[in-house]
C-alpha cells in the first residue's frame, strides 16, 4: 500500500509515540484522523503539524473505555475523511498494579481500552471497507507481555497479540493486521528517568540504548508498504526480547 491519500486513524495521537506515528503518516501524504482522549491541545498541535506538511488532518475525541464512543469515533472519521484504510491502535493504559491489588474494575478498564477498542475499530473498519478495498491494521505492543507488576497491562497486550493474528485471518485477504512490539522508546509517564544512568535499573538489551520515535515510525511504514506480511509481530526493541 502507498499511504499517500489514504485515510489513517491513529489512536492516542496527541503526544508521545502516537503523535510521531501520525506525523509520519501525514508526511507520507495520508489523511490523518488524530484521536485523543484528554490531550486536546496536543492533538490540535499534531493536526496543525500535519497540515503544515500539506496533508489533511482532523482531531477526534473519544474515551476508548466506552464502546459507544469508540463507534462514534469511527463514524466521525468516516463522515469527515472517509472509510478507515489504515488503523493504528496506539492508545493504551499501563497502570502499575500487581496481582494482589488488582481489582476487577481495573482489569475491565485495561481490557476495554487496550483490547476491546482495537477490536471494535477493526470491526467497523471491516464494514466501512467495501469490496476488495485494501486496509492495514497496526497495533502497538510491548516486547514483554508477562509483567507481574503491571499485571492487567501485560495480560491485555497478550490478548492484543491474539487479536492481531485473528484479525489477519478474519479480514484477509484485503486487510493485513500486524503489530509492533516496542522496547524502551520513551519512559512511561509514571516513571522519572531524570537520574544518572547508573542509578536506573533498566536492561536496554543488546542495543544498550533507548529506541527512537523514528525507528518506530519506520517499522510502521514498512508494514503499511508491504502487503505480504500479516499476522506478524515486529520487535522494535534493540534485541531485548532475545536476551
Ligand atoms: N513508550 C514506550 O517506550 C513503549 C514501550 C513499549 C510499548 N509501548 C506501546 O506503544 C504505545 C504508545 O506508547 P506511549 O508510551 O506513547 O503511550 P502512552 O503515552 O502511555 O499513552 C498513549 C495515549 O493513550 C491514550 N489513552 C489512554 N487511555 C485512553 C482512553 N480511555 N481513551 C482515549 N485515549 C486513551 C492517551 O491519550 P490522551 O493523552 O489524549 O488522553 C495517551 O496519550 C502503547 O500501546 C504502549 O503500550 C510503548
Amino acid at each position: 500500500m502507498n499511504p499517500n491519500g489514504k485515510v489513517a486513524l491513529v489512536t492516542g495521537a496527541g503526544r508521545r509515540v502516537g503523535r510521531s506515528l501520525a506525523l509520519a503518516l501525514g508526511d507520507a501524504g495520508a489523511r490523518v484522523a488524530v484521536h485523543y482522549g484528554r490531550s486536546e491541545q496536543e492533538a490540535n498541535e499534531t493536526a496543525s503539524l500535519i497540515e503544515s506538511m500539506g496533508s489533511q488532518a482532523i482531531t477526534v475525541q473519544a474515551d476508548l473505555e466506552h464502546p459507544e464512543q469508540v463507534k462514534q469515533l469511527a463514524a466521525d472519521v468516516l463522515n469527515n475523511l472517509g472509510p478507515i484504510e489504515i488503523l493504528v491502535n496506539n492508545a493504551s493504559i499501563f497502570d502499575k498494579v500487581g496481582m494482589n491489588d488488582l481489582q476487577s474494575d481495573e482489569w475491565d478498564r485495561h481490557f476495554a481500552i487496550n483490547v476491546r477498542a482495537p477490536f471494535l475499530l477493526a470491526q467497523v473498519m471491516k464494514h466501512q471497507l467495501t469490496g476488495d478495498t485494501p486496509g492495514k491494521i497496526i497495533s502497538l505492543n510491548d516486547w514483554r507481555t508477562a509483567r507481574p507488576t503491571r499485571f492487567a497491562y501485560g495480560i491485555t497486550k497478550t490478548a492484543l497479540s491474539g487479536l492481531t493474528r485473528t484479525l489477519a485471518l478474519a479480514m484477509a485477504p484485503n486487510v493485513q493486521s500486524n503489530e509492533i512490539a516496542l522496547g524502551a522508546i520513551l519512559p512511561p509517564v509514571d516513571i522519572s528517568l531524570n537520574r544518572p544512568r547508573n542509578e536506573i535499573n533498566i536492561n536496554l538489551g543488546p542495543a544498550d540504548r533507548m529506541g527512537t520515535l523514528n525507528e518506530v515510525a519506520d517499522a510502521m511504514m514498512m508494514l503499511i508498504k508491504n502487503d505480504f506480511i500479516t499476522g506478524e509481530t515486529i520487535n522494535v526493541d534493540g534485541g531485548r526480547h532475545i536476551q
Side-chain angles (χ1 to χ4, degrees):
M1 174 188 281
N2 178 350
N4 190 20
K6 296 284 192 280
V7 174
L9 166 62
V10 183
T11 62
R15 54 200 185 91
R16 292 168 57 86
V17 174
R19 171 182 282 197
S20 76
L21 299 178
L23 295 181
L25 284 159
D27 192 38
R31 301 157 61 219
V32 185
V34 176
H35 159 264
Y36 67 95
R38 295 182 179 162
S39 302
E40 181 177 10
Q41 187 186 332
E42 292 90 338
N44 287 334
E45 287 166 9
T46 305
S48 297
L49 286 166
I50 292 169
E51 284 166 350
S52 72
M53 298 168 180
S55 295
Q56 193 178 353
I58 61 165
T59 59
V60 195
Q61 195 279 334
D63 185 340
L64 300 179
E65 189 176 351
H66 303 295
E68 68 284 1
Q69 292 193 35
V70 178
K71 289 177 189 164
Q72 187 59 50
L73 162 63
D76 288 344
V77 178
L78 177 67
N79 293 335
N80 287 287
L81 294 177
I84 301 164
E85 295 164 294
I86 301 169
L87 168 61
V88 181
N89 291 309
N90 167 79
S92 157
I93 54 169
F94 184 66
D95 290 357
K96 193 165 190 172
V97 184
M99 185 173 178
N100 290 345
D101 298 322
L102 184 60
Q103 303 295 315
S104 61
D105 58 345
E106 185 72 351
W107 171 279
D108 289 347
R109 203 165 75 87
H110 274 79
F111 268 89
I113 296 165
N114 295 0
V115 189
R116 187 176 64 195
F119 162 66
L120 291 173
L121 290 171
Q123 191 180 46
V124 178
M125 185 180 172
K126 194 171 198 300
H127 293 308
Q128 289 184 357
L129 290 182
T130 52
D132 57 0
T133 308
K136 299 282 176 180
I137 298 174
I138 293 147
S139 298
L140 275 291
N141 211 314
D142 200 303
W143 74 273
R144 180 175 53 158
T145 55
R147 286 180 177 267
T149 59
R150 296 184 190 259
F151 199 93
Y153 168 81
I155 303 277
T156 54
K157 288 297 191 183
T158 305
L160 185 64
S161 285
L163 179 68
T164 296
R165 290 193 296 276
T166 308
L167 291 175
L169 296 177
M171 295 181 72
N174 53 318
V175 176
Q176 288 80 49
S177 165
N178 294 291
E179 63 182 9
I180 306 171
L182 300 184
I185 308 295
L186 294 172
V189 287
D190 61 357
I191 291 181
S192 168
L193 290 192
N194 201 11
R195 286 175 290 157
R197 171 73 194 278
N198 60 5
E199 291 179 15
I200 300 170
N201 186 20
I202 297 182
N203 178 351
L204 294 171
D208 199 27
R209 66 169 174 84
M210 311 255 301
T212 67
L213 293 169
N214 281 346
E215 285 165 336
V216 182
D218 284 348
M220 176 191 71
M221 296 308 294
M222 182 278 287
L223 289 171
I224 290 170
K225 289 178 182 166
N226 191 311
D227 297 330
F228 203 53
I229 300 177
T230 194
E232 187 58 89
T233 301
I234 307 289
N235 285 283
V236 180
D237 65 351
R240 184 69 183 87
H241 69 287
I242 52 170
Q243 250 193 355

